[in-house]
């Protein structure tokens, strides 16, 4: 039955607010396949893990926050399901969405990683199948993406809008389905990535190992952006910029572009300072 089972690798951190909607959507999203829900909790102080246990999932409660990548690998080791689903608690899965992703993945045994079209809660599309950015596109997107979303670099980074299932560089980490053989061949998630860019690095590892990374736009799920990191905004800023630098180095190692790593590090550090200041001001205004 392992090839007819989806192992749901659910990582929680202060996720109680989002979990009821996610869990309510899970069974209909997977039918007629079977579910095996494995939850790894990274030191939540809410009742999120209890909600998963009440649903019937197996729960591991870490004594310290080990980060997302390590927790996913912990969860994967606890199920022998052929299909491994990593979905954020702040997603709402549409009926038959995951079963359809499995069906698409079965059309080619080299599809190792597949994801759906992501929609915001208001129904607008979220960039789901993206490109690995060049140095120039990465810099321009980082500087202008927030104030000029339609700039050419950001459009290239977000990738072309697919109308049928097709190959992409990487897919949004809020909902990813893996073939177990592919997941195991690349060694699971790179545990140096505490949070952010872990899905980008996983996609890079898949490509380098000869597996396909696919987006199926016929499947749509909704995602509430922010999720558990609403309770830790400064950790979000720090983790995002640290992981961005790590991915730049991993992506360009062995190429001439690696010589620009110090410049990228300086730029990301400056951007992190600005983002932290903006977060502090926003938080202060919200409290007032």
């Amino acid at each position: 039955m392992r090839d007819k089972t989806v192992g749901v690798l659910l990582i929680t951190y202060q996720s109680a607010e989002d979990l009821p909607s996610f869990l309510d959507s899970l069974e209909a999203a997977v039918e007629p396949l079977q579910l095996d829900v494995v939850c790894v909790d990274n030191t939540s102080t809410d009742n999120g893990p209890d909600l998963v246990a009440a649903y019937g999932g197996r729960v591991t409660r870490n004594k310290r926050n080990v980060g997302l990548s390590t927790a996913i690998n912990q969860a994967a080791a606890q199920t022998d399901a052929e299909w491994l689903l990593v979905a954020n608690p702040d997603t709402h899965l549409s009926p038959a969405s995951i079963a359809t992703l499995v069906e698409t993945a079965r059309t080619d045994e080299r599809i190792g990683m597949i994801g759906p079209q992501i929609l915001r809660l208001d129904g607008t599309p979220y960039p789901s199948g993206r490109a690995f950015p060049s140095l120039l596109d990465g810099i321009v997107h980082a500087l202008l993406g927030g104030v000029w979303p339609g700039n050419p670099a950001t459009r290239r980074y977000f990738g072309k809008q697919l109308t049928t299932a097709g190959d992409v560089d990487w897919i949004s980490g809020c909902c990813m389905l893996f073939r177990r053989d592919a997941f195991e061949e690349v060694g699971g998630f790179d545990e140096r990535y505490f949070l952010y860019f872990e899905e980008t690095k996983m996609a890079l590892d898949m490509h380098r190992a000869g597996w396909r990374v696919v987006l199926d736009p016929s499947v749509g799920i909704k995602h509430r952006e922010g999720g558990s990191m609403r309770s830790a905004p400064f950790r979000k800023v720090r983790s995002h910029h640290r992981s961005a630098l790590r991915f730049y180095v991993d992506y360009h190692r062995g190429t001439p572009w690696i010589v620009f790593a110090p410049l990228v590090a300086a730029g990301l550090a400056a951007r992190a300072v600005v983002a932290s200041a903006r977060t502090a001001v926003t938080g202060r205004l919200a409290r007032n």
Side-chain angles (χ1 to χ4, degrees):
M1 291 292 291
R2 69 188 297 265
D3 65 330
K4 300 182 184 301
T5 301
V6 175
V8 181
L9 314 182
L10 183 57
I11 313 306
T12 54
Y13 175 76
Q14 307 296 82
S15 304
E17 181 180 348
D18 296 312
L19 277 167
S21 175
F22 173 80
L23 294 172
D24 285 346
S25 70
L26 193 51
E27 188 171 347
V30 171
E31 289 178 339
L33 302 173
Q34 302 297 309
L35 273 173
D36 185 20
V37 180
V38 181
C39 171
V40 174
D41 181 74
N42 272 333
T43 66
S44 294
T45 57
D46 60 20
N47 69 331
D50 298 326
L51 295 175
V52 180
Y55 181 82
R58 302 192 302 282
V59 178
T60 297
R61 300 172 190 255
N62 285 332
K63 294 182 179 179
R64 64 183 181 87
N65 190 338
V66 299
L68 183 57
S69 295
T70 299
I72 292 172
N73 290 343
Q74 283 182 272
Q78 297 180 49
T79 177
D80 64 353
E82 170 63 18
W83 304 101
L84 302 175
L85 174 68
V86 178
N88 288 4
D90 59 0
T91 57
H92 184 87
L93 308 177
S94 56
S97 55
I98 305 308
T100 302
L101 291 181
V102 170
E103 184 177 341
T104 301
R106 282 176 171 162
T107 63
D108 183 354
E109 63 181 11
R110 297 310 298 171
I111 296 177
M113 181 178 182
I114 186 170
Q117 173 66 57
I118 310 300
L119 305 173
R120 299 181 178 90
L121 294 185
D122 63 5
T124 58
Y126 178 82
S128 308
R130 303 192 186 187
F132 295 135
S134 66
L135 175 59
L136 179 59
D137 282 350
I139 292 173
V140 174
H141 169 69
L143 292 175
L144 299 181
V147 295
W148 181 19
N151 73 80
T154 295
R155 290 202 307 270
R156 285 191 293 270
Y157 172 53
F158 283 169
K160 295 180 180 179
Q161 188 75 30
L162 299 181
T163 56
T164 59
D167 292 82
V168 294
D169 282 354
W170 61 281
I171 57 177
S172 171
C174 71
C175 185
M176 305 173 281
L177 182 75
F178 297 93
R179 189 184 300 271
R180 174 174 284 279
D181 288 348
F183 187 93
E184 291 182 346
E185 183 177 332
V186 301
F189 278 80
D190 188 332
E191 296 185 359
R192 297 174 304 141
Y193 288 75
F194 183 88
L195 187 66
Y196 295 110
F197 285 86
E198 72 286 332
E199 74 271 46
T200 320
K201 178 55 162 55
M202 171 58 100
L204 179 63
D205 291 343
M206 287 278 175
H207 287 296
R208 288 175 171 173
W211 294 94
R212 292 178 62 195
V213 178
V214 169
L215 176 75
D216 186 349
S218 73
V219 179
I221 70 157
K222 289 191 173 181
H223 178 223
R224 179 187 182 189
E225 296 177 73
S228 61
M229 292 312 294
R230 291 188 297 269
S231 62
F234 291 103
R235 175 180 285 179
K236 173 181 177 178
V237 171
R238 182 177 67 250
S239 296
H240 185 274
H241 290 83
R242 180 181 295 170
S243 292
L245 176 61
R246 178 162 283 143
F247 180 76
Y248 179 87
V249 173
D250 285 341
Y251 183 47
H252 292 291
R253 183 176 284 113
T255 75
W257 296 102
I258 196 67
V259 300
F260 293 101
L263 176 63
V264 172
L268 286 169
R271 188 173 184 270
V273 170
V274 173
S276 296
R278 186 184 301 119
T279 299
V281 170
T282 302
R284 187 176 299 113
L285 290 175
R287 288 191 296 272
N288 293 336

